[in-house]
Amino acid sequence: MEKLTIKTAPIEGQKPGTSGLRKKTRVFMEPHFLENFVQSIWNGIGGAAGKTFVVGGDGRYFNDRAIQVILRMAAASGAARVIVGQGGILSTPAASNLIRKRATDGGIILSASHNPGGIDEDFGIKFNTPNGGPASEDVTGQIFEATTVISQYEILEAQDVDLGAIGTTMLGAMEVEVVDPVADYAALMEELFDFDAIAALFAGGFTLRFDAMHAVTGPYATAILEDRLGAPKGSVLNGVPSPDFGGGHPDPNPIWAKPLVDLVMGENAPDFAAASDGDGDRNMILGRGVYVTPSDSLAVLAANAHLAPGYKAGLAGVARSMPTSGAVDRVAEALSIESFETPTGWKFFGNLLDAGRATLCGEESAGTGSDHVREKDGLWAVLLWLNILAVTKSSVKDLLDAHWARFGRNYYTRHDYEAVENDRANALMDGLRGRLATLPGQSFAAGTVTMADEFAYDDPVDGSRSEGQGIRILFEGGNRIVFRLSGTGTVGATIRVYLEGVESDPAKLNQVAEDALAPVIATAEEIAGIKAHTGRDAPDVKT
Ligand code: G1P
Ligand code: ZN
């Protein structure tokens, strides 16, 4: 097998965003695009020689080709071993677990998460560090630097490695170990949760629907929920992964998982329903007649986690991304534990988890997780909910009502304006920046502004500072509006407007969020001039 050194030159646009490098699949398929980035990962982390990596992805279009390239490049750069999920498949949390459990030097995850897949859709690649988590801004910065000066990459000339059979083969001098993608992850879940209690729930007739959205969690959910815990066959929907996710948009929210929401709101609703995304790290939680917002889910899980064996000692602390509602903060206060507010993106939780300062973390974008891995974890959230329901013998609706009665309710909605021209989106944000100093003291339908700033985060563990993390406007009484631009889109800019209000009046805890937040929504428009800037009458997506 010959090692080839291929001349190349830097390619524009290889700067990783909120979660790795995401582009249209066809961009990744262009000559040298993937190879440049992979070589830059090796260059950015001080080389691949002698190292062990985990590689896997969510099975989307180009996953299989990209993995073969990565294997040949790892071998050419002297890596000792690559651990790959069978068929090239690993959910993001399962990859994080393997990176940690096998004490590796990190891993490469191929996914564009909840973005659609296919030759005309999205692809992505990201590097996770030995702690199992997404590379820090520091490391992604070094990788990006490497992409701007690259002049050559190394790749082995070789046949494809057979990833269909579990076992170890050689690629040049490198070992390729193909593992069952589900086994280690399922074992970890069994350590954390009371599987017998959950199995007893199903044996008692409790009904569940889990929508895998034709994405990576299909095999995981089938193995754990149906085969191990005894949920009846057919409880997992759309459980066979496909390279284009059945032509769908594998994002577990009320828009893209609408059939599931309709199911729980209908006459034959199951007791519990959930969905996960393309790579298995997001979750949506539903109960009969009720949708649980991700921010509420985080708060409910924080308040009840001690009911599951893995968390019976209690939580060290909790962390949420800044745009996530403050519901979990009040739980932390009641539990007398620390709560942290971090910028958007799971990578910011890594230090807090590593330092043992946070046990549970979450984002309003349907991400929840704990210190069991260093990624958010969709099925983990489902199992923790099931464990809590099994112990409390409560319905989802009753648990949520009791939670709001005790802590108050944070009404929450997010309005997204997608594929806005970059100039127009930047003009909206610049306009807001220009008004920050004068907003405090001004009164709007949402109340009087108490504070307005552009969020910056000082990491309490390593002291690093991250600026420009979204514009916050806080109002007297707890209303809040946040504006930020997405860092994961592949076309134009996506403006996200996060709208929140706090209610503790027992008579007002069961409103429709969009109604309860009408004054906040109107104020966002008044302050930012969204319609004028975007030329849009309404958001593309409300979640
Ligand atoms: C989005 C979410 C963010 C999440 C990220 C990766 O990023 O908002 O919470 O961590 O996807 O799943 P954004 O597009 O807003 O930058
Ligand atoms: Zn994801």
Side-chain angles (χ1 to χ4, degrees):
M1 272 176 238
E2 203 190 335
K3 183 168 104 176
L4 306 176
T5 300
I6 310 284
K7 293 269 166 261
T8 187
I11 299 174
E12 283 277 307
Q14 295 211 324
K15 191 174 173 58
T18 312
S19 183
L21 184 65
R22 291 206 192 150
K23 296 283 172 196
K24 287 290 164 203
T25 309
R26 286 187 194 274
V27 173
F28 269 101
M29 294 168 74
E30 281 166 15
H32 307 315
F33 191 91
L34 174 68
E35 292 84 349
N36 270 19
F37 193 74
V38 172
Q39 184 67 50
S40 299
I41 294 177
W42 309 148
N43 296 349
I45 61 168
K51 292 183 176 168
T52 296
F53 298 110
V54 169
V55 177
D58 63 11
R60 69 179 60 221
Y61 187 89
F62 196 55
N63 190 69
D64 48 354
R65 299 311 314 146
I67 289 187
Q68 296 292 344
V69 168
I70 293 166
L71 289 174
R72 298 208 306 275
M73 290 186 68
S77 287
R81 171 186 284 253
V82 172
I83 301 164
V84 197
Q86 188 178 19
I89 297 291
L90 280 175
S91 78
T92 292
S96 181
N97 179 45
L98 273 177
I99 292 169
R100 296 165 62 76
K101 187 167 179 180
R102 301 289 300 272
T104 66
D105 299 288
I108 293 181
I109 300 177
L110 302 165
S111 170
S113 189
H114 49 286
N115 295 7
I119 191 163
D120 290 314
E121 297 296 350
D122 291 358
F123 193 76
I125 175 168
K126 76 175 177 180
F127 180 71
N128 281 30
T129 39
N131 73 345
S136 65
E137 287 202 313
D138 202 29
V139 174
T140 51
Q142 280 160 21
I143 294 170
F144 174 60
E145 278 304 307
T147 69
T148 64
V149 295
I150 189 166
S151 61
Q152 61 181 45
Y153 61 83
E154 297 188 326
I155 187 162
L156 215 61
E157 201 175 38
Q159 297 294 318
D160 280 1
V161 179
D162 176 11
L163 301 179
I166 289 170
T168 301
T169 51
M170 297 304 289
L171 178 61
M174 183 181 87
E175 284 183 339
V176 178
E177 182 186 345
V178 179
V179 298
D180 178 338
V182 177
D184 294 86
Y185 177 82
L188 175 63
M189 292 302 113
E190 193 155 3
E191 277 170 33
L192 295 173
F193 302 116
D194 187 344
F195 271 29
D196 291 342
I198 302 174
L201 197 63
F202 288 126
F206 182 91
T207 51
L208 158 139
R209 290 288 178 278
F210 178 88
D211 189 347
M213 303 188 87
H214 305 280
V216 79
T217 44
Y220 295 85
T222 305
I224 296 172
L225 297 172
E226 292 186 1
D227 299 347
R228 176 66 186 80
L229 293 169
K233 288 274 166 230
S235 297
V236 176
L237 309 172
N238 304 316
V240 178
S242 78
D244 70 346
F245 307 120
H249 195 137
D251 196 357
N253 64 38
I255 308 289
W256 299 115
K258 187 166 183 299
L260 198 66
V261 180
D262 291 345
L263 184 72
V264 299
M265 299 302 170
E267 278 192 2
N268 297 315
D271 293 303
F272 182 86
S276 190
D277 72 330
D279 62 329
D281 57 358
R282 292 188 172 197
N283 74 88
M284 176 173 72
I285 302 293
L286 303 155
R288 181 173 292 139
V290 57
Y291 161 70
V292 185
T293 70
S295 295
D296 278 342
S297 177
L298 175 64
V300 170
L301 294 181
N304 296 284
H306 61 279
L307 300 176
Y311 306 94
K312 66 172 186 290
L315 309 176
V318 290
R320 64 167 171 87
S321 68
M322 182 275 281
T324 303
S325 95
V328 75
D329 300 1
R330 285 200 300 282
V331 175
E333 212 181 307
L335 296 175
S336 300
I337 56 174
E338 279 193 292
S339 65
F340 300 91
E341 186 177 33
T342 59
T344 298
W346 208 260
K347 58 177 177 270
F348 292 101
F349 295 133
N351 280 345
L352 296 170
L353 294 166
D354 284 350
R357 302 224 7 216
T359 311
L360 246 56
C361 313
E363 295 194 276
E364 53 66 42
S365 54
T368 337
S370 87
D371 59 358
H372 68 292
V373 289
R374 292 295 180 273
E375 290 277 5
K376 54 194 178 233
D377 188 345
L379 257 179
W380 168 90
V382 170
L383 291 166
L384 182 49
W385 265 95
L386 290 172
N387 199 147
I388 291 166
L389 295 176
V391 174
T392 58
K393 312 259 185 288
S394 172
S395 71
V396 175
K397 176 91 176 76
D398 289 348
L399 196 65
L400 203 56
D401 283 341
H403 186 92
W404 291 335
R406 178 172 169 203
F407 296 100
R409 176 173 179 184
N410 287 62
Y411 282 103
Y412 193 84
T413 182
R414 189 182 90 194
H415 291 184
D416 289 344
Y417 298 80
E418 295 178 342
V420 176
E421 290 88 328
N422 284 312
D423 291 353
R424 299 183 96 166
N426 288 330
L428 181 146
M429 296 299 284
D430 286 342
L432 282 168
R433 275 185 201 103
R435 293 192 63 183
L436 289 177
T438 56
L439 281 173
Q442 290 189 41
S443 292
F444 299 91
T448 303
V449 176
T450 53
M451 195 203 72
D453 74 351
E454 187 156 20
F455 181 58
Y457 177 64
D458 292 300
D459 186 306
V461 179
D462 69 11
S464 61
R465 184 174 174 82
S466 304
E467 294 182 333
Q469 299 293 336
I471 286 173
R472 306 187 282 188
I473 306 173
L474 274 55
F475 300 83
E476 239 167 52
N479 287 338
R480 185 180 73 149
I481 304 171
V482 173
F483 297 87
R484 62 178 280 282
L485 299 184
S486 157
T488 58
T490 53
V491 182
T494 293
I495 303 168
R496 302 201 196 282
V497 187
Y498 307 81
L499 304 136
E500 180 180 358
V502 185
E503 183 59 71
S504 46
D505 179 347
K508 294 184 180 164
L509 294 177
N510 264 301
Q511 304 172 63
V512 173
E514 293 284 325
D515 296 342
L517 293 169
V520 183
I521 295 168
T523 302
E525 171 58 31
E526 188 182 343
I527 294 180
I530 306 167
K531 287 181 185 159
H533 276 294
T534 62
R536 310 272 173 89
D537 272 345
D540 298 280
V541 179
K542 295 179 185 177
T543 55

